[in-house]
Amino acid sequence: MSLQLLSKDYSFTRIQQKLAGFEITDVIVTGIFDIDPSKVGKKNTDVVSDYKVDSDLIIQPGISEDHISHNSSLARGIKSTTYEDFVRSLKKINPDFLINLISSGMDKSGEKYAIASLEAGCSFFNATASKITTDQLRSSFTSKGLMILGDDLMSQFGGTAFHRGMMEFMTNRGIKIEKAYQLDVGGNQDTQNTMAEEVREKKRKIKTESIAVEVPYPFKSTAGTTEYAEQLGSSRVSYYWMEAKGFLGSTIEMDLALKTNDSTNGCNVILDSIRAAKMAISKKDLDKSEIISAYAFKNPPKKFKIRESIKAFEEAFTN
């Protein structure tokens, strides 16, 4: 199984469990694209310093269809290629999956990558907050026996997954949630791009709606990225506060912080998803994309509660 990565972070965690008939070693990275001039043309081993990388791939120029925000470190300049040349490169590599991990706010570029993936004949995985997995595009991929998954990756144990899990647990224990917030601070390029107000509002809406799925009644809630702090690097700190009522109206208040690594936190979810998708595609069971997307993303076409999505995924794909 081969795949294509579009990202500034492309390190993997190692997972021993066999899933959907595939081991982790069955997944091979066959190509990497980026628009950061400090990376394009270099070997990935020269760019990735924190983790061991087995392959020695040259990072190729990707597509850029969006205005680069002044908040971004790329505002000084990019190194991109044309859509036609990108499709030719993709066809030459011939991956099973194209994984879109570009920074937030690049909606037009994300859509172009999806269309390029369709033209090149490979399935598409949209980890970004851009609304790409539409009914129309899903139909186009399905007609070619391919799968499109998305939108907005939910990390292994990131802010949204933890928040949803905690709310689901509290609700099932009879606790009535009244107010809550989740505020994220990060130091990577994606967080930097999110500081653009229109991008921040879009991501805040997706996170808030994703969390609300777990609670069967309305409550005051806010969730989203609030600040970029360069000194955090690839780390992200999420701050949570919840106010709720227990038996006889007793007050319950939770206030905590969670620090994770953005670069690795989503890797196992990506690996789970593409192995599951590979199995479903081989069996021509493309409707399984709804289960995979509900398991892996904050804004899937069909939303499940987090525990239900995990159960459905395991029933469909674990060995």
Side-chain angles (χ1 to χ4, degrees), residues 26 65 104 124 135 140 176 180 188 201 233 255 266 292-293:
D26 293 323
E65 296 284 327
S104 296
F124 188 74
D135 290 341
S140 297
K176 188 176 190 305
N188 62 16
E201 286 303 314
D255 193 354
I292 302 171
S293 289

Side-chain angles (χ1 to χ4, degrees), residues 123-164:
S123 295
F124 188 74
F125 183 108
N126 179 39
T128 76
S130 301
K131 186 57 184 174
I132 293 175
T133 312
T134 62
D135 290 341
Q136 182 179 353
L137 205 49
R138 286 178 68 196
S139 178
S140 297
F141 272 84
T142 300
S143 68
K144 287 192 171 186
L146 303 171
M147 191 176 284
I148 181 170
L149 302 171
D151 296 301
D152 203 355
L153 181 68
M154 182 166 61
S155 298
Q156 177 182 17
F157 196 69
T160 301
F162 175 82
H163 201 164
R164 289 180 62 176

Side-chain angles (χ1 to χ4, degrees), residues 247-313:
F247 189 62
L248 296 178
S250 58
T251 299
I252 297 172
E253 189 171 341
M254 184 177 76
D255 193 354
L256 57 87
L258 170 70
K259 185 176 182 180
T260 57
N261 186 294
D262 262 1
S263 301
T264 57
N265 207 0
C267 291
N268 85 309
V269 179
I270 294 173
L271 290 168
D272 283 352
S273 299
I274 61 174
R275 287 185 289 171
K278 179 68 174 177
M279 185 182 102
I281 292 168
S282 67
K283 293 183 176 181
K284 303 186 185 306
D285 192 2
L286 300 179
D287 288 342
K288 285 289 196 303
S289 64
E290 286 191 345
I291 292 175
I292 302 171
S293 289
Y295 166 77
F297 299 93
K298 302 184 190 79
N299 194 25
K302 183 177 180 180
K303 292 181 171 64
F304 290 59
K305 290 186 176 182
I306 192 164
R307 194 183 298 266
E308 292 172 353
S309 70
I310 295 170
K311 181 180 179 182
F313 186 88

